[in-house]
Amino acid sequence: MKISILGTGYVGAVTGACFAELGNDVVFVDIDPAKLDMIRTGRSPIFEPGLDELLAKNLHRISATTDTALAIRETEATFICVGTPSNPDGSIDLQYIAAASEAIGEVLREKESWHTVVMKSTVVSGTTTGIVRRRLEEASGKEAFRDFGLASNPEFLREGSALTDVFSPDRIVMGVEDPRSREVLETLYATFTCPKLVTAIPVAEMIKYVSNAFLATKISFANEIGNLCKTMGIDTAEVFAGVGLDARINPAFFRSGIGFGGSCFPKDVRALIAQAGAAGLPPKILQSVVAVNEEQPLRLVALLKKHLPDLKGKRIGVLGLAFKPDTDDIRESRAIPIIGELRKEGAGVIAYDPLAIAHFRSLFPEITYASSAAEVLECDAVLIITEWKEFEALDYTGKLVIDGRRVPKAAVGSIYEGVCW
Ligand code: UDX
């Protein structure tokens, strides 16, 4: 099939490359020519293990353009993969979604053959059949589900393992209202053997939000229980290993630590809170999930102060800046509030991350960035914020280590405290 991908950020780049690998012709569209140049030469515009190789391997099926009209005319389906940033009140900002819908609608006005528009970006339930449909219909003068197709097909990709998540998913969710759009999605995913759920469009959108909100809830729950276990001298990991063996519960996403970051969980939970609030149902559980997640990183600094009550003038080493290992992404990284707090306390910060320093420098230009993890170990104390594999290979003997992610090696021969253990 010939498909176009609108937006070559994280979701667009991964989705397009994977559809090309599945044998489809893929046209990437973006307003940023630099990203398109990278794609044309088989390089990913974002860091994701294996993505460069996948793009390079499928280059004969890939093209890239800034011309939305051309891309839509030449393809049968368009996946909207543009960003959905947050408004200051936590609700999602749909300006890019609205603009993309309008741009597609203008081309559909002239296009005679059937075209299906698929929402891949994470949008709150009601967006695709609401503002997206309206903008498409106004700009095209046509009617959705009759003159063109409209569908929702949320992604469940984790950064760092996105390709595995695409090719071996737990499920594929297809929100459809018209048979031709259903056929488009069923054809694209024909070779997948996982459960395929065909739902109404608002249901598909909601599945995505509720999945992320539930996983975030598991993490905050594990952190709240972890804080209690620590005070009782109980190993929280053992507790959750036991709890997770209950098939109704499942062991995943029970790792306690300094909380969740990234481009999805914090934003999606806040957006769901805003949507529920607007419906007159402010969600108590989700508000607590966010509250626990905001307090959790600061506990690391509180634990540090137990050992070094006055941080003024102290050199505090930070291992890890990315929101999790195997990514250069620092969005909502727990390193941000932790380093903010250390600075407030007057500490000097020496930070290291294998990939995320360049991004972090723009947020905190005033701190020192080390060129190796070993350099960070020279400080008065070390905080572990991201569990990069290479931190397992360091020698922590004699160091004061406050661990936010449970790196077992860091406890060997050191003065050691874990945030929940
Ligand atoms: C997440 C979802 O997993 C994915 O399905 C969705 O499409 C996008 O959001 P991602 O943000 O890439 O993916 O990372 P993920 O691996 O889920 O981790 C998110 C955050 O939670 C990280 O900061 C991680 O350190 C933290 N986390 C995860 C925990 O603190 N404990 C856990 O048990 C699991």
Side-chain angles (χ1 to χ4, degrees), residues 155 157-159 208 253-255 260-261 264 323-324:
E155 48 78 22
L157 314 176
R158 284 164 303 171
E159 292 189 20
K208 165 72 192 215
F253 278 67
F254 268 151
R255 269 183 294 116
F260 56 82
C264 293
F323 84 93
K324 68 173 190 178

Side-chain angles (χ1 to χ4, degrees), residues 60 72 109 121 153 184 240 296 303 307 323 363 385 388:
H60 56 292
I72 289 165
R109 177 175 282 277
S121 302
N153 174 220
V184 165
F240 278 105
Q296 203 62 16
L303 284 171
H307 297 265
F323 84 93
L363 280 187
I385 293 184
W388 284 97

Side-chain angles (χ1 to χ4, degrees), residues 339-380:
I339 291 177
E341 189 69 8
L342 291 172
R343 299 290 299 142
K344 228 166 50 196
E345 295 278 342
V349 175
I350 295 92
Y352 171 76
D353 188 284
L355 287 177
I357 288 178
H359 287 157
F360 216 82
R361 208 188 284 275
S362 57
L363 280 187
F364 286 96
E366 75 281 15
I367 67 169
T368 304
Y369 293 93
S371 50
S372 72
E375 237 176 273
V376 167
L377 291 187
E378 301 305 316
C379 293
D380 298 315

Side-chain angles (χ1 to χ4, degrees), residues 3-13 15-16 19 26-31 35-36 39 63 65-73 75 77-84 96-105 107 115 117-121 132 136:
I3 62 168
S4 38
I5 301 284
L6 231 69
T8 61
Y10 193 80
V11 171
T15 304
F19 277 139
V26 177
V27 185
F28 287 93
V29 189
D30 205 288
I31 49 166
K35 287 185 180 170
L36 300 175
I39 289 174
S63 59
T65 177
T66 52
D67 188 343
T68 309
L70 181 85
I72 289 165
R73 275 199 302 270
T75 57
T78 299
F79 283 76
I80 299 181
C81 300
V82 298
T84 50
Y96 302 113
I97 296 283
S101 308
E102 211 169 296
I104 297 169
V107 189
H115 197 91
V117 180
V118 186
M119 180 57 66
K120 195 74 168 167
S121 302
V132 172
L136 282 166

